[in-house]
Amino acid sequence: MAPKKKEEPKPAAAPKPPEPEPPKEPEFNPAEVQIEFTAEQIEDFKDAFQLFDRTPTNEMKITFAQCGDLIRALGQNPTNAEVLKVLGKPKAEDMQVKMLDFDQFLPMHQHICKAKDRGTFEDFVEGLRVFDKEGNGTVMGAELRHVLATLGEKMKEDEVEQLMAGQEDANGCINYEAFVKHVMAG
Amino acid sequence: MVAKMIRPNLQVYGRQIKRKIRKEQKCQQHPHSVPKEYSLHPDPLTRQFFSPDATRARSMRAALLIQRWYRQYVARLEMRRRCSWNIFQSIEYSGEQDHIKLYNFFGCLMDHFTPASSQKKWISHIFHESDAFQEMELERYFSYKNIEVPDVHSGPHLTFPLTISNVTELVDAFKNKQKLHAHYVLRLLEKTLMLLRFLPNINHVSTCKYKEITICGDLHGHLEDLLLIFYKNGFPSAETPYVFNGDFVDRGKESIEILLVLFAFQLLYPHDVHLNRGNHEDHIVNLRYGFTKEVLGKYRVHGKQILRLLQKIFSWLPLVTVIDHKVLILHGGISDKTDLNLIAKLDRQRFVSVFRPMRGEASVRQEEAERDDGRRRVQSLSYGTAVRLRPDLPRHSLHSASRQEVGSVEEELSERRRLAGLGLTSEQGSAKVLQTDAWRQIVDVLWSDPMAQDGCVPNEVRGGGCYWGPDVTQKVLDRHKLQLLIRSHECKQEGYEFCHNRRVLTIFSASNYYDVGSNRGAYIHLGPDHIPHFKPFQASRTTRELTLRQSVGRTERSALQALRMLLFTHKSELMREFHQHDPQHTGLISLRNWAVAMETVLHLGLPWRVLRSQLVSSSHDGMLNYDDWFNQLSIIQPNAKIANTSLLETLYKHHSNLETIFRMIDTDHSGLISFEEFHQTWKLLSSHLQTNISDKAISELAESIDFNKDGSIDINEFMEAFRLVEQSRAERKPSPISAEQTTDKH
């Protein structure tokens, strides 16, 4: 009953809205990535990298599982699929165990930064408008929770709860422009 | 279209959602069948009907987008939380380093002390209490009989021997913020001391009696957490045994209550409640970290008696607990020299405080140091001979610092030494070595921290004990045929953490340690299989009600405030460093150089570039105007009564150490010291710190602090003078981060 991952791209393939980051080549090759960051930016990234480094002796290494978080903390918003791709599609059990250092991280981050479809404020609002059945600027909180937990890269119940905390009004509706501002401000 | 204003019928709505879910599921199984709703709904803006697949695709894309943004939001919050955490930890550890420097200073003084010098009278009082004298003192202090409890006293009344209803009443009383009368406190403590004297250094516990044993870590005066543990896990009893792994006091505001509760339960169930000593069960540490202040504040008349008795009790607390000869529980950790057989045999009660060096201790270390003067070495209290393995990290070398200080104090005191002709005989020398070994074992057990690399190096951050690696864990545990080491001593985000291939487990039970929402606490259940089961928790209802962003925001504000106060105390050094990067005196410094300068001066190992956005509000083209920045930063200013601001800065920087020294001088705990004592203290400390403060400045300062002009200084008033207060709104320039008044970090 649980949908397999390969089912999801199929409906998207039929009409033609571009998927976020359709993989042109199957593998990600870090050697082919040209680093276009400035030296200042790289220093900033190093600082942040160190912050995520949880090795007791500061070896400047982070786990695979942290890679996505770090990229996001630095201002990008890739999907989990994109993160797994730049990591070389590791196995689930490797995520907490395998480590990468800063030099391995940099091309991954660069690749994600170059991705075109990053989503702006308007995209986001547009996305939520899809669920605005009455066209009045609000979506039903319950519906949104359901969507976030069942579609796309599903969120867990407590994650949904965190996101929606304090956003619904007495009727269970969310004004989505305010909601978007709330999420983007964080 | 009129928006629906009525509250939707939830049952009906529930059914609608269920229907939707079922259709959704069908949809996912058969991608080409689409729920009717989607196919019938026109796009609200364009009034077009999209094909089912297109609508579905748009929903999918929208969901993905929202999920991506959510994950970014969480990651950024996580980054901020880590920053705050780092700030608190580095400030905490750098504070501890200061304390160690103070210890080194006293150590040298002690070594050069001569009976003849009257000026050192106050040190003798602290360091030279003979055992006989102590026993006599205790005789007097056990006179709880002379303390009467008035009938109208509203707090709990205890009867001895204690009963379970006594103890339950006690816990309830503390919950309601009541106080236990000094009479009962002293009686309880006396009974506790009698019990502790019979306990060995190493407690052996067996699980064959019990289903499982509960193990708790640091509590640090957080009574709320202890009560939460009791609530979730049950009171200690013959069926519910507990091990408490040290650090019951300091920092939190209800340390004495925690002690009384733990001791009471131990008296009730002496075979089922086990307490290990922590590094904070030490009266000199308590002087600095708030326990002494708390007791004296709550028990104005009998506080000093209580403290004296507690000193003895702390020294009699067992050091180690072992379960089934398989699981080792102790507060700090181990070193490669740790030997349980040695620990079992030593006289633990002789080590009232690890900060009281025994006679000759400091000079033994000095000799060792002098032998290897070629290499740059670091020292900690117990570990004198290892080479530093991490040269890139900007940590203070206590060795080099103390060498400097030794030099200057040496000059001052060498004259007296020569006069007195003090020296150690060879007999005394070898006895010293034995004592030193025992002392080292204890310091290692109470102060060490684990590290990931193999080996064993001095713990220069704490200044005591060592950092030990997985190979040492293996060696020591195997040597004694043990499987697991459970320790505390370090705050952990989730309340617990494994390391060294899951052979070392850190457990920490004070939630919200740095601030509300900073971390969870945890306790462990251990059964006969010796597999630990974790029970994390977080006290305070307000924590649960805060959203993630709110609690991160709060901790962050608190951390930044603490950091800004630290920046204030280093203002002159920072300005000097900035000027070095700005030889043309343009008043501007690049952001990169700003980060470098900050780390050079403060040595906190913080991610300055990441913090930059929080600390620096405006920069143009990557350049920062540092004068403006300091002005913006100084939204706090010290109490205006003290005129001389550069002296003030110096005093503020060392105010924690000053307070510690004052409390030590004030041996009768009256809270007052004379001008003369104040003067002497300051002179010695300033030569130790190599600052130049004239006698005149000190006298003026002393006079301005004697607010009631009676020739003596109230310690609390002195500390109050240095409390940083919020600038009045009229004077303050607009600042991007809101200011919160914080109290001293005690």
Side-chain angles (χ1 to χ4, degrees):
Chain A
M1 199 215 73
K4 309 245 177 11
K5 234 190 160 148
K6 50 185 191 297
E7 300 257 87
E8 289 172 0
K10 272 196 205 156
K16 260 177 310 163
E19 272 222 7
E21 185 72 29
K24 297 263 158 54
E25 61 244 22
E27 297 294 322
F28 167 71
N29 186 351
E32 289 176 9
V33 176
Q34 193 119 22
I35 304 293
E36 291 167 11
F37 296 127
T38 65
E40 280 281 337
Q41 283 176 306
I42 295 183
E43 288 297 309
D44 284 343
F45 298 155
K46 262 203 189 137
D47 235 26
F49 190 92
Q50 203 152 26
L51 199 56
F52 275 70
D53 172 12
R54 300 209 66 197
T55 59
T57 44
N58 294 348
E59 295 158 33
M60 279 294 266
K61 285 200 173 132
I62 60 173
T63 63
F64 272 31
Q66 290 174 293
C67 186
D69 291 333
L70 179 53
I71 295 181
R72 288 170 177 128
L74 290 172
Q76 304 305 310
N77 61 348
T79 61
N80 285 345
E82 287 164 353
V83 173
L84 288 173
K85 179 173 160 255
V86 295
L87 282 170
K89 306 240 179 75
K91 300 197 269 289
E93 58 264 22
D94 284 342
M95 291 297 280
Q96 293 289 350
V97 173
K98 279 176 122 174
M99 313 275 274
L100 61 144
D101 63 25
F102 186 71
D103 293 320
Q104 293 166 303
F105 169 75
L106 205 53
M108 296 179 186
H109 187 54
Q110 179 72 82
H111 182 83
I112 303 265
C113 284
K114 284 193 186 155
K116 291 182 208 93
D117 185 12
R118 279 163 52 186
T120 59
F121 179 86
E122 286 71 30
D123 285 336
F124 202 168
V125 172
E126 176 74 27
L128 281 164
R129 194 172 289 132
V130 168
F131 306 108
D132 180 1
K133 296 291 178 278
E134 292 165 24
N136 58 0
T138 66
V139 294
M140 292 299 307
E143 170 145 17
L144 192 56
R145 280 166 208 270
H146 165 62
V147 164
L148 292 176
T150 54
L151 293 187
E153 291 181 337
K154 305 180 188 55
M155 284 163 61
K156 297 202 242 16
E157 202 179 297
D158 55 337
E159 291 179 319
V160 177
E161 218 29 73
Q162 255 311 324
L163 180 61
M164 315 267 279
Q167 296 298 309
E168 288 162 294
D169 66 15
N171 294 336
C173 297
I174 299 182
N175 174 317
Y176 50 82
E177 280 206 33
F179 178 67
V180 170
K181 287 204 180 98
H182 156 76
V183 173
M184 289 183 75
Chain B
M1 184 169 308
V2 177
K4 285 204 185 120
M5 293 300 283
I6 49 170
R7 187 184 272 277
N9 182 327
L10 289 173
Q11 269 192 322
V12 169
Y13 201 76
R15 284 199 290 269
Q16 286 176 345
I17 289 288
K18 278 195 196 138
R19 249 184 274 142
K20 244 197 205 174
I21 292 173
R22 264 175 283 160
K23 284 186 179 148
E24 203 59 61
Q25 287 166 355
K26 245 208 278 177
C27 184
Q28 282 159 349
Q29 286 174 320
H30 306 282
H32 298 293
S33 85
V34 155
K36 275 202 186 126
E37 284 151 67
Y38 283 124
S39 57
L40 289 177
H41 248 95
D43 182 280
L45 290 180
T46 61
R47 310 300 298 170
Q48 277 180 356
F49 281 93
F50 280 106
S51 75
D53 284 341
T55 317
R56 181 161 179 65
R58 284 174 62 230
S59 310
M60 187 77 62
R61 191 164 157 244
L64 276 172
L65 197 56
I66 299 169
Q67 287 156 347
R68 283 160 57 183
W69 277 108
Y70 166 74
R71 295 192 165 111
Q72 189 204 60
Y73 164 78
V74 164
R76 282 163 84 149
L77 277 181
E78 172 67 13
M79 173 110 108
R80 283 165 61 189
R81 193 201 53 74
R82 274 185 206 235
C83 272
S84 310
W85 184 263
N86 272 22
I87 293 174
F88 275 129
Q89 285 216 304
S90 24
I91 293 183
E92 174 181 13
Y93 291 153
S94 83
E96 286 182 8
Q97 268 194 10
D98 268 350
H99 199 196
I100 303 307
K101 281 194 203 148
L102 190 67
Y103 161 76
N104 284 339
F105 167 57
F106 276 124
C108 294
L109 281 179
M110 255 278 308
D111 250 15
H112 302 117
F113 169 76
T114 69
S117 68
S118 57
Q119 271 198 347
K120 299 295 177 295
K121 196 163 50 139
W122 54 269
I123 307 185
S124 74
H125 207 58
I126 301 165
F127 290 125
H128 283 273
E129 292 175 0
S130 67
D131 276 339
F133 173 67
Q134 272 195 323
E135 293 306 322
M136 253 169 41
E137 288 286 301
L138 281 172
E139 244 8 79
R140 268 205 294 133
Y141 288 137
F142 278 164
S143 60
Y144 62 82
K145 302 180 183 102
N146 298 334
I147 305 175
E148 287 208 9
V149 186
D151 290 328
V152 296
H153 178 62
S154 59
H157 294 259
L158 301 179
T159 58
F160 290 86
L162 285 176
T163 63
I164 182 68
S165 66
N166 276 152
V167 182
T168 328
E169 196 194 324
L170 187 65
V171 175
D172 279 334
F174 288 152
K175 250 193 243 182
N176 298 325
K177 309 288 178 208
Q178 288 176 334
K179 212 177 71 168
L180 184 65
H181 196 279
H183 170 105
Y184 296 121
V185 173
L186 287 169
R187 263 184 102 171
L188 183 67
L189 292 181
E190 182 214 323
K191 296 254 179 244
T192 303
L193 184 59
M194 276 170 26
L195 169 63
L196 289 176
R197 286 181 125 120
F198 284 106
L199 295 179
N201 298 344
I202 302 186
N203 269 327
H204 284 278
V205 181
S206 155
T207 54
C208 63
K209 266 176 50 172
Y210 316 106
K211 216 170 51 170
E212 57 190 10
I213 301 188
T214 308
I215 302 166
C216 299
D218 291 21
L219 288 166
H220 279 302
H222 286 220
L223 183 63
E224 202 179 11
D225 286 314
L226 182 61
L227 295 178
L228 189 58
I229 296 175
F230 285 164
Y231 175 71
K232 290 174 78 139
N233 200 52
F235 279 155
S237 68
E239 295 83 42
T240 318
Y242 275 83
V243 177
F244 290 96
N245 203 8
D247 275 11
F248 317 119
V249 302
D250 280 334
R251 299 193 197 269
K253 300 263 179 286
E254 288 162 306
S255 305
I256 187 69
E257 284 81 6
I258 289 199
L259 276 186
L260 293 171
V261 168
L262 291 179
F263 290 156
F265 274 114
Q266 188 178 42
L267 286 172
L268 260 188
Y269 302 108
H271 300 292
D272 309 305
V273 174
H274 306 274
L275 307 178
N276 283 345
R277 188 177 185 184
N279 62 311
H280 278 261
E281 273 69 58
D282 181 324
H283 72 283
I284 297 200
V285 177
N286 299 151
L287 282 172
R288 187 191 160 99
Y289 289 101
F291 180 51
T292 310
K293 201 156 144 181
E294 181 192 324
V295 172
L296 293 175
K298 288 180 179 168
Y299 293 96
R300 285 179 193 278
V301 180
H302 300 107
K304 53 199 181 186
Q305 277 169 265
I306 295 176
L307 287 171
R308 287 282 167 138
L309 196 41
L310 278 172
Q311 268 185 39
K312 205 112 169 85
I313 288 180
F314 287 163
S315 72
W316 275 105
L317 282 171
L319 297 166
V320 173
T321 299
V322 178
I323 300 186
D324 292 340
H325 300 284
K326 287 263 168 281
V327 179
L328 179 62
I329 309 179
L330 40 80
H331 177 74
I334 54 178
S335 74
D336 56 353
K337 299 218 163 39
T338 296
D339 183 348
L340 291 179
N341 299 322
L342 262 177
I343 293 179
K345 291 190 218 141
L346 53 80
D347 293 327
R348 69 182 190 271
Q349 76 283 5
R350 300 182 67 141
F351 303 92
V352 174
S353 165
V354 296
F355 284 87
R356 275 197 196 174
M358 295 153 292
R359 285 288 292 273
E361 166 59 28
S363 58
V364 167
R365 278 189 296 124
Q366 216 178 316
E367 279 156 34
E368 282 176 10
E370 275 152 8
R371 252 181 284 139
D372 305 78
D373 50 12
R375 295 183 299 170
R376 178 163 181 256
R377 293 161 73 237
V378 294
Q379 263 194 356
S380 70
L381 296 184
S382 61
Y383 229 79
T385 55
V387 176
R388 171 188 270 204
L389 289 184
R390 295 158 66 192
D392 49 304
L393 278 186
R395 300 268 189 224
H396 279 305
S397 162
L398 293 174
H399 173 68
S400 61
S402 65
R403 292 279 281 165
Q404 266 180 323
E405 284 130 20
V406 163
S408 62
V409 174
E410 178 80 29
E411 277 153 25
E412 190 182 322
L413 299 168
S414 59
E415 184 59 31
R416 294 178 225 281
R417 190 192 203 178
R418 202 174 48 82
L419 288 172
L422 186 70
L424 293 174
T425 67
S426 59
E427 216 172 56
Q428 284 175 314
S430 56
K432 288 297 158 293
V433 172
L434 272 176
Q435 266 192 323
T436 313
D437 281 345
W439 177 77
R440 271 204 183 115
Q441 293 281 334
I442 296 185
V443 175
D444 285 345
V445 162
L446 298 183
W447 287 78
S448 303
D449 290 314
M451 66 174 177
Q453 300 165 319
D454 282 346
C456 197
V457 298
N459 190 330
E460 66 230 38
V461 172
R462 305 252 192 199
C466 64
Y467 281 122
W468 87 92
D471 58 332
V472 176
T473 299
Q474 188 159 348
K475 208 171 69 169
V476 173
L477 290 184
D478 289 347
R479 187 197 298 160
H480 297 287
K481 301 196 182 32
L482 299 162
Q483 278 174 3
L484 173 65
L485 167 60
I486 299 181
R487 44 91 63 178
S488 306
H489 198 41
E490 283 179 304
C491 183
K492 295 294 174 193
Q493 178 68 21
E494 291 302 313
Y496 68 93
E497 193 173 89
F498 269 116
C499 64
H500 293 190
N501 297 324
R502 295 179 77 91
R503 289 193 87 179
V504 174
L505 171 60
T506 303
I507 181 78
F508 195 84
S509 302
S511 68
N512 307 319
Y513 181 59
Y514 292 123
D515 194 1
V516 175
S518 66
N519 65 294
R520 307 176 95 180
Y523 57 94
I524 303 174
H525 280 163
L526 201 74
D529 57 3
H530 308 139
I531 296 178
H533 297 277
F534 306 104
K535 310 285 171 189
F537 59 85
Q538 193 152 20
S540 170
R541 209 183 313 139
T542 38
T543 317
R544 275 181 259 127
E545 283 169 4
L546 292 176
T547 62
L548 181 63
R549 177 205 249 144
Q550 282 169 328
S551 84
V552 169
R554 234 178 114 147
T555 314
E556 188 181 42
R557 270 199 299 278
S558 201
L560 289 171
Q561 184 70 348
L563 189 57
R564 264 182 262 131
M565 283 168 82
L566 199 65
L567 293 180
F568 169 77
T569 66
H570 290 91
K571 183 172 171 175
S572 331
E573 290 153 292
L574 283 169
M575 286 304 256
R576 266 201 300 275
E577 198 63 32
F578 290 154
H579 284 138
Q580 287 211 329
H581 286 279
D582 176 29
Q584 263 94 39
H585 298 291
T586 59
L588 297 174
I589 184 173
S590 76
L591 291 171
R592 165 183 283 164
N593 286 338
W594 173 85
V596 168
M598 297 290 270
E599 187 55 33
T600 312
V601 170
L602 296 169
H603 299 290
L604 288 174
L606 288 178
W608 295 107
R609 303 184 71 101
V610 174
L611 288 171
R612 196 179 64 217
S613 59
Q614 300 279 30
L615 291 172
V616 176
S617 62
S618 62
S619 56
H620 298 289
D621 301 325
M623 300 297 281
L624 163 70
N625 181 323
Y626 48 86
D627 284 307
D628 277 352
W629 179 61
F630 260 120
N631 286 336
Q632 271 184 353
L633 209 55
S634 309
I635 51 182
I636 40 179
Q637 68 173 15
N639 201 312
K641 285 181 189 149
I642 312 297
N644 188 337
T645 44
S646 70
L647 174 61
L648 187 65
E649 201 185 294
T650 313
L651 281 174
Y652 184 74
K653 194 161 163 180
H654 300 285
H655 80 290
S656 296
N657 277 344
L658 266 178
E659 184 174 351
T660 309
I661 301 178
F662 287 156
R663 291 199 189 278
M664 287 180 87
I665 302 174
D666 177 31
T667 48
D668 62 351
H669 295 298
S670 61
L672 299 171
I673 52 175
S674 69
F675 275 19
E676 185 53 31
E677 286 169 329
F678 178 80
H679 207 108
Q680 269 178 39
T681 312
W682 186 249
K683 272 195 87 119
L684 282 167
L685 187 61
S686 66
S687 69
H688 158 77
L689 298 169
Q690 300 184 323
T691 54
N692 285 325
I693 306 225
S694 69
D695 280 358
K696 186 163 169 294
I698 300 283
S699 304
E700 276 172 8
L701 183 66
E703 273 171 38
S704 67
I705 293 172
D706 177 16
F707 298 128
N708 55 4
K709 304 294 170 221
D710 64 354
S712 63
I713 297 176
D714 182 314
I715 296 180
N716 286 327
E717 280 187 325
F718 179 79
M719 290 304 137
E720 200 51 40
F722 290 102
R723 177 195 273 247
L724 297 185
V725 297
E726 198 175 327
Q727 237 180 18
S728 64
R729 287 188 180 270
E731 296 161 46
R732 185 176 37 173
K733 292 203 182 125
S735 141
I737 307 159
S738 66
E740 278 173 25
Q741 189 156 22
T742 54
T743 52
D744 268 11
K745 227 188 160 286
H746 271 287

